[in-house]
Amino acid sequence: EISNLHAIAYSVGDCEVTNEAHHGTPSQRKCATVWGSSLADSDRGRKLKLQDVAKEFESWYTKIDEMDDSCDYPTKSSSAISGSLSTWLVTAAAANFIAILF
């Protein structure tokens, strides 16, 4: 069932990164659900407060552009997304994560 969620998140992504309504590329959205489901499935994830989950997500999210299609980090370089694009992506990924929890 979780793999279906990853596939759905991937299918609703787009590559219009300059569009203000952009909510993440297919790979970014899939990786957000992989991250959220991994955390939700862990003992640690079950004990975290929502504020702590948000902090962990923000930390993870700053490296989202470094991920490959399998949601791994093939490089050690660091990059960040800025402006309204990051707000939209964080909102979309957080919504995917919250949907997994509930």
Side-chain angles (χ1 to χ4, degrees):
E1 293 179 14
I2 293 295
S3 62
N4 289 338
L5 176 64
H6 303 323
I8 290 168
Y10 184 90
S11 72
V12 297
D14 63 67
C15 295
E16 297 179 30
V17 296
T18 59
N19 184 328
E20 198 170 299
H22 175 67
H23 281 88
T25 66
S27 292
Q28 289 170 335
R29 292 179 63 87
K30 177 184 132 191
C31 290
T33 63
V34 168
W35 179 85
S37 60
S38 295
L39 183 61
D41 194 37
S42 71
D43 287 337
R44 196 175 123 278
R46 296 174 199 275
K47 297 174 186 172
L48 288 174
K49 295 180 180 178
L50 186 56
Q51 296 86 352
D52 296 329
V53 172
K55 286 178 188 174
E56 290 211 17
F57 176 80
E58 288 176 24
S59 174
W60 169 84
Y61 175 74
T62 62
K63 298 175 270 183
I64 197 167
D65 280 346
E66 298 171 24
M67 292 183 166
D68 60 20
D69 287 342
S70 65
C71 302
D72 289 326
Y73 296 104
T75 66
K76 298 287 183 194
S77 66
S78 176
S79 63
I81 299 171
S82 63
S84 62
L85 173 59
S86 70
T87 302
W88 284 106
L89 290 174
V90 168
T91 302
N96 287 332
F97 173 72
I98 291 168
I100 291 168
L101 289 178
F102 300 103

